[in-house]
């Protein structure tokens, strides 16, 4: 295990969404990156799984800014789908852009993947899956909102 871990959230397998109590993910950590491709970043988020012998193995690692970027895209997606029911296909094929989000002096374009040949069915399934995850995402969003309000002056 990485000796440069600073924050650990053990027992993640007990609350890993629909995988709760039988998840392979045992621990989430924040600390110095362990993977070579992330060494330039100061902090990484790591996901640890249990091996057969009970030891933990690094399963995935993301630089912290990528975790935030995923949350930004996910949050914007949730907001989009809150109103998407007003569109017959849940999106506008002539304008699939959800938003261009400004980050680091650039713009991150977030849009419906119109190149997907099955988008009309896949977007319906995606919207239903978001709806089905309502209680899991709602609780996490309320918790995240409370925490982020405390960081307003950061």
């Amino acid at each position: 295990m990485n000796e440069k871990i600073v924050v650990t959230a053990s027992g993640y397998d007990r609350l890993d969404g629909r995988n709760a109590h039988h998840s392979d993910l045992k621990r989430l950590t924040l600390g110095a990156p362990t993977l070579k491709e992330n060494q330039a970043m100061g902090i990484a988020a790591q996901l640890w799984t249990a091996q057969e012998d009970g030891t933990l193995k690094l399963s995935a690692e993301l630089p912290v800014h990528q975790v935030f970027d995923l949350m930004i895209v996910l949050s914007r997606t949730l907001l989009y789908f809150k109103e998407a029911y007003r569109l017959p296909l849940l999106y506008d094929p002539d304008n699939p852009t959800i938003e261009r989000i400004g980050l680091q002096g650039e713009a991150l374009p977030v849009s419906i993947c119109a190149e997907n040949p099955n988008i009309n069915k896949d977007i319906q399934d995606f919207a239903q899956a978001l709806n089905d995850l309502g209680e899991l995402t709602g609780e996490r969003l309320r918790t995240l909102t409370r925490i982020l309000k405390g960081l307003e002056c950061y």
Side-chain angles (χ1 to χ4, degrees):
M1 178 152 334
N2 181 359
E3 65 276 357
K4 297 200 181 249
I5 291 173
V6 176
V7 176
T8 184
S10 297
Y12 184 71
D13 54 318
R14 295 188 324 264
L15 53 97
D16 185 9
R18 300 253 191 260
N19 295 322
H21 299 287
H22 39 254
S23 174
D24 290 337
L25 287 176
K26 303 300 181 189
R27 179 180 292 162
L28 307 176
T29 61
L30 295 172
T34 60
L35 299 178
K36 185 178 178 180
E37 62 268 21
N38 295 331
Q39 292 299 310
M41 299 294 125
I43 301 173
Q46 297 115 355
L47 305 173
W48 299 84
T49 56
Q51 298 187 81
E52 286 185 24
D53 65 2
T55 61
L56 295 181
K57 174 185 171 196
L58 182 64
S59 174
E61 178 178 82
L62 286 175
V64 144
H65 73 278
Q66 290 177 354
V67 175
F68 279 109
D69 295 345
L70 281 170
M71 277 307 305
I72 290 167
V73 171
L74 176 60
S75 298
R76 189 56 189 92
T77 299
L78 291 170
L79 282 173
Y80 174 84
F81 276 93
K82 213 173 151 184
E83 301 296 324
Y85 71 91
R86 298 172 192 239
L87 300 168
L89 297 173
L90 298 180
Y91 78 106
D92 179 354
D94 296 325
N95 183 17
T97 300
I98 294 173
E99 184 176 353
R100 289 175 44 87
I101 300 169
L103 291 170
Q104 287 185 230
E106 296 285 338
L108 178 65
V110 180
S111 62
I112 300 300
C113 185
E115 298 85 34
N116 175 348
N118 299 314
I119 190 60
N120 292 340
K121 177 176 179 348
D122 291 347
I123 197 169
Q124 296 284 336
D125 294 344
F126 186 87
Q128 184 61 52
L130 281 178
N131 190 51
D132 293 347
L133 291 171
E135 83 273 2
L136 293 176
T137 57
E139 178 183 27
R140 284 160 170 82
L141 284 170
R142 283 188 297 279
T143 301
L144 187 58
T145 299
R146 179 181 48 79
I147 293 167
L148 289 174
K149 282 184 180 178
L151 291 174
E152 286 178 351
C153 298
Y154 199 82

